[in-house]
Amino acid sequence: MLELAILGFLCDTPLHGYELRKRIAALTGHVKPVAESTLYPAIKRLEMAGLLARETQPGTGAAPRHVLTLTAEGRAELRCRLAEPAQADITDENRWFTVLAFLRHLKDPATQAGVLERRLAFLRQPTSFFYDDDRPLRAEEIEDPFRRGILTIARATNQAEQSWLRRTLDSLRATGGA
């Protein structure tokens, strides 16, 4: 998820590490803040793989700034990761939001639609946070008001996302996607 966010934000515009960290935190920070000890090794790995380039520019103060840009290989890698996201990127809401934040970088509406269809198929599967043996429980079957609240909120969120996905898929199909 972190590498995808780095590639995605740098596809938007060149950034220095501090600004990149702020943008990643704005996207994912409420769930899992990005520490410098995590971000900078990831940047280094991507740079060593030839996916990022670093340019030193004069800083606003005395210290120079290292501006990161995406290479052609980095753009190709981003598109590959977006076109074929891992199953966890489809099923985990926070990872899904990271994919969704950069899906516009896939220029082919059919490929975009394929990713959205995977998420829609996942959301259509019966699921619950609570079970009676192997049977998922619905909100109406639970007496605990707090657990019932979890299921009620999850259902509403799921329905809203499915509605958005269907509308977006219809739009993509109208432009030749799938």
Side-chain angles (χ1 to χ4, degrees):
M1 180 179 77
L2 177 59
E3 288 184 359
L4 181 63
I6 292 168
L7 294 171
F9 280 120
L10 292 179
C11 191
D12 292 340
T13 187
L15 297 167
H16 57 88
Y18 176 74
E19 184 61 33
L20 180 60
R21 183 174 175 220
K22 282 183 10 185
R23 291 183 189 204
I24 292 170
L27 179 63
T28 64
H30 65 284
V31 175
K32 186 177 180 185
V34 179
E36 287 182 23
S37 61
T38 305
L39 176 63
Y40 290 104
I43 289 171
K44 190 67 171 169
R45 280 192 308 275
L46 294 170
E47 188 178 11
M48 297 291 288
L51 305 178
L52 306 181
R54 181 186 310 249
E55 178 185 330
T56 303
Q57 295 180 347
T60 54
R65 296 181 345 160
H66 300 285
V67 176
L68 302 165
T69 58
L70 205 57
T71 64
E73 294 83 2
R75 288 182 194 287
E77 179 66 19
L78 172 64
R79 289 185 185 115
C80 181
R81 290 182 188 204
L82 290 171
E84 294 293 330
Q87 186 62 16
D89 295 338
I90 297 294
T91 60
D92 179 273
E93 184 175 89
N94 299 309
R95 293 172 69 153
W96 168 245
F97 283 168
T98 302
V99 170
L100 202 54
F102 304 109
L103 201 57
R104 74 177 186 282
H105 292 302
L106 289 177
K107 300 303 180 195
D108 178 36
T111 307
Q112 292 171 329
V115 174
L116 296 183
E117 286 167 353
R118 285 181 59 198
R119 176 68 177 184
L120 185 58
F122 164 71
L123 291 175
R124 288 181 174 154
Q125 297 173 15
T127 187
S128 180
F129 297 103
F130 311 106
Y131 290 81
D132 181 11
D133 291 322
D134 287 339
R135 186 180 66 82
L137 293 174
R138 296 176 27 233
E140 297 77 17
E141 299 175 295
I142 296 180
E143 291 184 33
D144 179 327
F146 307 107
R147 287 186 170 196
R148 188 171 48 246
I150 290 171
L151 294 178
T152 301
I153 293 165
R155 180 188 310 154
T157 302
N158 184 300
Q159 290 171 347
E161 186 175 355
Q162 284 192 49
S163 176
W164 175 83
L165 284 164
R166 285 190 297 275
R167 285 192 315 273
T168 303
L169 283 165
D170 288 344
S171 175
L172 289 170
R173 289 180 186 118
T175 63

